[in-house]
Amino acid sequence: MTVTFTLTNNSKTPSAWHRLNPIWQGGEEIVQQSLPHTQLAPAWQLLMLGDGSPTRHLELLTGERTEVDVIDMSLIGMDSDDAPDLIQAVPGPRLRRQVWLRTASGQRLAYATSWWEASHVDEYLQNRSLPIWASLARLRTELYRDVRGIYYGNSVALESGFDVSGPFWGRHYLFWHHGQPLTLIYEVFSPYLTKYLGPMQLSSANGKV
């Protein structure tokens, strides 16, 4: 069932989003080079470091439609919102959107926070209950997903939300449209996906070619 939400515009920054407390993190150079398979298995690297749609990937993995539970739509103005520094690329004032991505049967697979220019969000998210990929695909919007950071870390809130222990893998990226940044997205994936992707790390023995 989709969680109802209220759009807020308070003088203070609204309730926080769920950022990982990183054990390890890497920037754009790491993203381009890939990681040792003993740190992140190949199948997981396709999900984490690839520039394809995670919504579509999740549908292919599970065989179910990916649905969205919107848990927050908040106007944050020009606040940096403890977001990655790339938030400065998104014009303000800004709106923050938080969602759970889940299967149609209810299994939560990912958490995502995105930041948008508030005055343009209705143009791209005409149906706010749809995944971003589905919304933009309906508009035939041409996009480039520019992955800039990857994280491995913990979050008490996400452990509760996913109902599984961490650590978790996450990433952030910019969506570009017509040469301009459209939105900044921060995603964290549930370890439940090991059911489809296998272990998140390979042992040294299994990692040998």
Side-chain angles (χ1 to χ4, degrees):
M1 180 176 66
T2 300
V3 178
T4 59
F5 62 89
T6 302
L7 188 65
T8 60
N9 188 9
N10 301 325
S11 58
K12 295 183 179 179
T13 303
S15 58
W17 56 283
H18 305 319
R19 183 170 187 163
L20 292 177
N21 180 20
I23 299 169
W24 174 92
Q25 65 185 66
E28 188 175 7
E29 183 177 345
I30 295 294
V31 170
Q32 295 299 323
Q33 291 180 349
S34 79
L35 301 174
H37 294 169
T38 51
Q39 184 177 7
L40 186 61
W44 279 86
Q45 294 204 43
L46 288 173
L47 177 67
M48 296 296 306
L49 304 180
D51 58 6
S53 164
T55 304
R56 179 60 175 154
H57 290 163
L58 294 176
E59 290 181 342
L60 293 171
L61 288 171
T62 65
E64 293 190 54
R65 185 176 66 255
T66 300
E67 298 187 351
V68 166
D69 290 333
V70 181
I71 56 177
D72 170 49
M73 293 276 286
S74 297
L75 291 170
I76 63 168
M78 299 303 294
D79 196 280
S80 62
D81 203 29
D82 197 31
D85 292 342
L86 277 175
I87 193 174
Q88 301 303 327
V90 179
R94 305 180 190 99
L95 179 142
R96 181 187 65 210
R97 177 181 190 251
Q98 297 185 70
V99 303
W100 295 108
L101 297 178
R102 59 170 175 81
T103 62
S105 59
Q107 178 63 51
R108 287 178 176 172
L109 303 175
Y111 160 83
T113 302
S114 56
W115 294 267
W116 302 77
E117 184 178 2
S119 61
H120 288 169
V121 68
D122 287 334
E123 178 182 350
Y124 295 104
L125 298 180
Q126 295 175 2
N127 183 342
R128 295 183 181 182
S129 66
L130 289 176
I132 290 174
W133 172 77
S135 294
L136 298 177
R138 287 188 173 191
L139 297 172
R140 298 295 189 267
T141 304
E142 295 183 6
L143 297 168
Y144 171 61
R145 190 185 314 269
D146 186 9
V147 182
R148 296 289 193 92
I150 184 169
Y151 308 88
Y152 184 63
N154 292 297
S155 166
V156 173
L158 293 181
E159 285 195 356
S160 176
F162 287 135
D163 194 25
V164 63
S165 297
F168 307 99
W169 281 98
R171 64 178 184 172
H172 74 263
Y173 55 88
L174 278 174
F175 258 152
W176 292 82
H177 176 52
H178 290 163
Q180 300 296 321
L182 176 63
T183 180
L184 172 65
I185 300 179
Y186 186 105
E187 291 173 339
V188 180
F189 294 93
S190 171
Y192 178 84
L193 290 169
T194 57
K195 175 179 178 180
Y196 306 101
L197 294 171
M200 290 186 285
Q201 294 93 17
L202 297 183
S203 67
S204 297
N206 291 336
K208 290 181 179 178
V209 178

